[in-house]
Amino acid sequence: MSKAKKKGAETPAPEPDFEGIEVNLKDPKTLRLVLGSPDVMVTGKACQALSVYMQKGESQQSEIVRTGAVPRLLALLESPDKATRYYAMMCITSVCENGKLCDAVMHGDRDNTLQRIMNLLDPNEDLIAHEQSALALARIAGMRSGYAVDIADAGAAVGLCALLTSPDPDVQKHSATALMYMAKDFVGRDKIYEANGAARLFELLKSEYPPVQRIAIAALRCASFHKGIRDIMRELGAIQIVYSFVKNEEHADMHGSAMALLGNLVRERSVVEGFSEEEIEHFLSFLTNTNPSGETAKEKCIQIICAIGKMSPQNLKRMHKNQIEKRIVPFITDPDPKVSIAAIGTVACFAKKEPNCCKAFAEGGVVPALISVMTSELDSIKNTAIFALQALSHCHDIVRVLMEDPTSSLPLITEMLHELNFESHRNALNCCLAIVRYNQSEWLDALIEADFIDGLVALLSGVRLRRRTRKPKMSEGDEGDTASAADVETVESVEATPVMPEGQENPAVRLATELETKETETGIVQTLANILDHTVARDKFIASNGPAVLADKLADCRGDARLAMRQAMFQVIKSCSIVSQPFAAQFVHNGGMAKLRKMKRSHGAQSCMALLVEHCPTLKFWKTGRLDPGNVTQNGFMVLGHYNPRNEEDDSIPSLEELCKMKRNGYFTNVYLFNAISPEEQKVETMSDSSSKLGAKTPTKSKKKSRASNRDSDKSREEVNKFQPPADANMAGYVAEAKAKLAPLTTTMQRAEELGKLVGGWMGGPYAPKHVRKINHIFHVQELTTALDSVVVPLGLVKRGTFFHRAILYKVLADRFNIPCTLHRSPNFMAFNTIFAHPNPKKSPSNHIRYLVDIMNKPGQLLECGTDAYSNYLGHCELSGRSGGGH
């Protein structure tokens, strides 16, 4: 190189000939030295050689970047020699072609780098420089969205918009490409609007070169999210021009972008209302009579139709007359998810805007189509489909079609109650409420069988406030590139809310989400109040731990704002407590009474407490010491011993699971449990219950299987870890023996006498009054609690029982064999039973006499109340209690 330079100084410079120059890439220092030469001829030859070498491939480009030549090439963009600037720009453009190497160009002072490239956009530069600089900017902007914003901030929009009028189509294409990437951000759209780029991009639609037209449509599609740009384009008649691309089959590859651009242009209500019937028919015919190609042509066309009907009721009625429903329904099952979602959203929008469309949709087969897409693996399709069903569910024809095949449709709807999406919860709930509202027993039965109650309980226990994401603040007139004319309507977001600092929550948004949560909870409880008079529904509610969830939600029912929910909850408690002792027991054991007591001023709470005391045998016997014949004990009935709560007004009774974990202390002595299920039966019952729950849902697709299997596996784990009450093998044997002995007996007195003999025999046999103190039951019970390591003692394990233990056993067995029996407890924790019977029921069947059942001195003997024998028995009972023979 030094010889060539010296020779050049002695003789006149020949014509530029770069073919003889060779670049030694093995010596990076030499390369950097050549690019830094003060001789313009040398640097020009080096840049040309580098540009030819870098066009060979990615490996060659990487080699040049590793030598550190990029900063020297950027500096040569300011060279006074045009050829040097041109070839240096070609090298930079080649580097920008590779995404991994583009960062090397933008590394360092970005503003200075971009300004050097933008200098070549000057009108005084040659077309070759314009082409290369525009191409470089397009490649840089396309690599990262942040680079596109930097280019817009640097002021490149003015030069790029000016090049749109260049006579060279390549310059037009590259400039429009750079503007397209810039228009994806609101900053770039503002700069394009200020540079009057919309009108110049619009003129490119008339170009005779399809690539230029294609890029121009794509750039306008992104830029038209700006309201000012849309206004300019409509003034220029862009709607008709763009629609001409849609109608032209030769421009099939532009249909998607053209439709998207049209969708942005029809955002304003004034534009849509001005559409003629002929113009609307153009879109309908395009959708149904042609086969649109392109990425988003069908999707955008459907969204435009939705926008037309959504913003103009008059146009919606026109489309309804033209049977728009039958044209939209087939696209619900389109294999393209975007098209399917657009069609489903259009169905939901039209169903809300025009009631007459619902019946037409029902006739057009919308329900089977929506049910079929609800088996999709995509949550977005499922969530949109349940929203559409909810919008249609106010129409009786829709519900009737939905219930024609409830076994396939209802499980899919109730499945959505378990989804994580808040809107899916509410939409699925509203669909089910529409079915309940028609009050048809067959429909309600099918809904209950589809695990509707299980879903309601899961939803009520899991309602949480949604997190709303804050969108970035945009400039005035810009609507963002995420908006769509056919966006599915969901809960309205809070408008005009102040932007909060990072990490802080907006109180207005928090308030709105709290209101939505309260409305959902209230709707669920009101639904339960309407359907829990159904026996199967009530049983499923109890099996799903519903009373415990209801008791937990009582704490949220205070205040005037929750009046509707509080009244609905009182209705549930009253109706279920009267007919279902398991409901009352589960509600009480989970702290429901304590929470009701805190609502002292509410008459509804007081009446609920009275009903719970009356219909929960455990609570009633603990509070009043008496059980009437109507208070029928069942499995799980507990008799609390010396239970002294810390607060006298505390009505909460620990659950059986909590009691089993307690040790003997000052608040509990022992608790007697009635559980007439043997260990073998309990194990079989648990396995069958688990298998029935696992088999309740019948998935229809592979995604359904995976989703259902995940939840079913959780259920199976819950069943394995589920608490089981202590089994009582002796009690199961007592029930079997009593059943065999009482079966041949016909009268109540005979059955009562025989049961008394059995109870006395099981509990240690007869004891004379003076020997009752020798039973020594206290040490016996202590041995049981020590062996069980719990205060809970299954009643059948007690072998040496006093008046108290025998009376309890007699009551629970009498209830199982329909013997009208009472249970009374004395202050000294002695107890006795009475029955109502008549010695000769055939002569006077309605005249019953009250008898006391002797289960201690002469087990099985019936003592008529009011007699001396009756008084003597009670006296011995009280005397035994005072002397320590009680509990």
Side-chain angles (χ1 to χ4, degrees), residues 89-381:
M89 190 68 249
M90 284 190 65
C91 294
I92 296 298
T93 304
S94 299
V95 173
C96 294
E97 183 181 4
N98 189 323
K100 299 178 181 179
L101 304 179
C102 185
D103 293 334
V105 177
M106 298 296 289
H107 181 72
D109 189 354
R110 291 188 184 181
D111 294 336
N112 188 25
T113 298
L114 293 175
Q115 191 59 48
R116 289 174 175 177
I117 298 175
M118 288 163 50
N119 288 337
L120 297 182
L121 300 177
D122 188 271
N124 296 324
E125 293 287 346
D126 295 337
L127 290 178
I128 298 178
H130 290 166
E131 177 186 357
Q132 292 300 317
S133 59
L135 179 57
L137 290 174
R139 288 177 174 176
I140 294 173
M143 289 300 168
R144 301 181 188 273
S145 58
Y147 291 166
V149 175
D150 292 338
I151 292 173
D153 288 334
V158 176
L160 291 172
C161 290
L163 293 184
L164 294 177
T165 58
S166 171
D168 188 344
D170 289 331
V171 176
Q172 296 175 347
K173 174 184 173 182
H174 299 325
S175 301
T177 302
L179 291 172
M180 176 191 69
Y181 289 122
M182 290 170 54
K184 292 185 177 182
D185 188 85
F186 69 94
V187 176
R189 290 192 285 268
D190 286 341
K191 299 296 183 180
I192 294 173
Y193 174 71
E194 295 170 359
N196 195 26
R200 297 178 181 180
L201 283 171
F202 177 73
E203 291 298 324
L204 293 184
L205 298 179
K206 305 173 185 178
S207 172
E208 58 181 353
Y209 301 102
V212 175
Q213 293 176 320
R214 188 180 303 111
I215 294 299
I217 289 179
L220 288 171
R221 171 189 175 182
C222 299
S224 60
F225 285 104
H226 194 286
K227 186 178 184 302
I229 293 178
R230 291 200 302 272
D231 293 338
I232 293 174
M233 294 182 65
R234 282 193 293 267
E235 292 176 1
L236 297 174
I239 293 179
Q240 289 74 19
I241 299 296
V242 176
Y243 189 73
S244 64
F245 284 90
V246 176
K247 294 190 294 184
N248 192 341
E249 292 294 335
E250 296 180 358
H251 297 154
D253 56 341
M254 305 182 198
H255 284 169
S257 297
M259 275 296 178
L261 176 55
L262 284 174
N264 290 340
L265 294 177
V266 299
R267 280 176 173 239
E268 277 72 29
R269 186 181 300 274
S270 58
V271 178
V272 174
E273 290 178 347
F275 274 16
S276 64
E277 189 170 353
E278 181 180 359
E279 290 174 321
I280 296 174
E281 184 59 32
H282 284 327
F283 291 105
L284 297 177
S285 60
F286 171 80
L287 188 63
T288 56
N289 298 333
T290 61
N291 184 22
S293 58
E295 183 183 5
T296 57
K298 290 189 289 186
E299 173 199 2
K300 297 303 178 182
C301 184
I302 294 174
Q303 290 183 353
I304 291 173
I305 294 172
C306 180
I308 294 173
K310 178 180 179 180
M311 291 187 285
S312 175
Q314 182 180 0
N315 287 335
L316 180 55
K317 291 179 180 179
R318 291 176 182 174
M319 291 190 289
H320 174 63
K321 291 180 180 179
N322 293 331
Q323 298 181 338
I324 179 62
E325 298 83 4
K326 293 183 178 179
R327 301 187 183 188
I328 292 294
V329 168
F331 291 98
I332 292 178
T333 56
D334 194 275
D336 187 350
K338 294 182 179 180
V339 175
S340 178
I341 291 174
I344 297 171
T346 303
V347 170
C349 179
F350 287 2
K352 285 194 168 186
K353 295 293 182 180
E354 179 58 47
N356 294 329
C357 290
C358 294
K359 186 175 182 180
F361 276 128
E363 296 173 353
V366 70
V367 173
L370 290 175
I371 294 300
S372 65
V373 298
M374 285 184 67
T375 61
S376 171
E377 296 181 359
L378 298 177
D379 290 338
S380 56
I381 293 181

Side-chain angles (χ1 to χ4, degrees), residues 722-735:
K722 183 180 179 182
F723 168 76
Q724 294 295 338
D728 192 345
N730 293 340
M731 184 61 68
Y734 292 166
V735 173

Side-chain angles (χ1 to χ4, degrees), residues 456-621:
L456 285 181
V457 174
L459 183 56
L460 184 62
S461 62
V463 169
R464 295 290 182 268
L465 299 180
R466 291 181 299 166
R467 292 185 177 270
R468 294 178 185 266
T469 55
R470 176 166 56 87
K471 295 182 179 180
K473 187 176 180 181
M474 299 179 181
S475 62
E476 184 178 358
D478 196 280
E479 299 176 5
D481 56 0
T482 58
S484 172
D487 282 344
V488 177
E489 297 177 357
T490 55
V491 179
E492 295 294 336
S493 300
V494 179
E495 297 181 359
T497 55
V499 178
M500 303 298 294
E502 191 69 25
Q504 295 187 17
E505 189 174 23
N506 193 322
V509 175
R510 174 73 178 182
L511 177 61
T513 53
E514 285 181 351
L515 292 176
E516 293 168 8
T517 302
K518 291 177 181 179
E519 290 176 1
T520 303
E521 291 178 340
T522 303
I524 295 172
V525 178
Q526 289 175 340
T527 304
L528 292 172
N530 293 329
I531 65 176
L532 284 186
D533 54 349
H534 193 287
T535 304
V536 179
R538 189 167 54 251
D539 293 341
K540 287 182 174 290
F541 181 71
I542 296 171
S544 301
N545 204 30
V549 175
L550 212 62
D552 183 59
K553 287 293 176 181
L554 265 179
D556 301 332
C557 289
R558 302 180 191 175
D560 296 336
R562 307 305 300 269
L563 178 61
M565 181 176 177
R566 187 164 63 248
Q567 291 177 343
M569 195 166 289
F570 289 162
Q571 182 181 348
V572 172
I573 297 171
K574 292 177 183 178
S575 61
C576 292
S577 298
I578 294 174
V579 297
S580 175
Q581 289 187 9
F583 172 90
Q586 191 178 130
F587 184 82
V588 169
H589 293 325
N590 285 276
M593 282 290 291
K595 293 175 182 177
L596 285 173
R597 186 172 288 280
K598 294 180 181 179
M599 305 177 185
K600 296 179 180 179
R601 300 179 181 178
S602 173
H603 295 290
Q606 294 176 2
S607 60
C608 286
M609 287 191 292
L611 286 172
L612 287 169
V613 170
E614 181 63 28
H615 294 92
C616 178
T618 300
L619 179 62
K620 182 177 181 180
F621 191 63

Side-chain angles (χ1 to χ4, degrees), residues 746-812:
T746 57
T747 66
T748 302
M749 291 190 67
Q750 292 173 344
R751 293 160 62 86
E753 291 173 349
E754 184 62 32
L755 183 59
K757 295 177 183 178
L758 292 173
V759 170
W762 293 328
M763 287 279 185
Y767 281 88
K770 61 181 179 180
H771 295 151
V772 171
R773 302 178 192 177
K774 299 180 180 180
I775 296 178
N776 199 11
H777 69 285
I778 297 178
F779 294 105
H780 174 56
V781 174
Q782 286 181 351
E783 289 176 356
L784 292 176
T785 55
T786 303
L788 296 171
D789 193 25
S790 173
V791 297
V792 178
V793 178
L795 190 57
L797 299 183
V798 179
K799 296 299 183 180
R800 296 196 294 271
T802 63
F803 292 92
F804 185 78
H805 310 96
R806 299 186 184 202
I808 297 171
L809 179 58
Y810 189 90
K811 169 62 177 173
V812 296

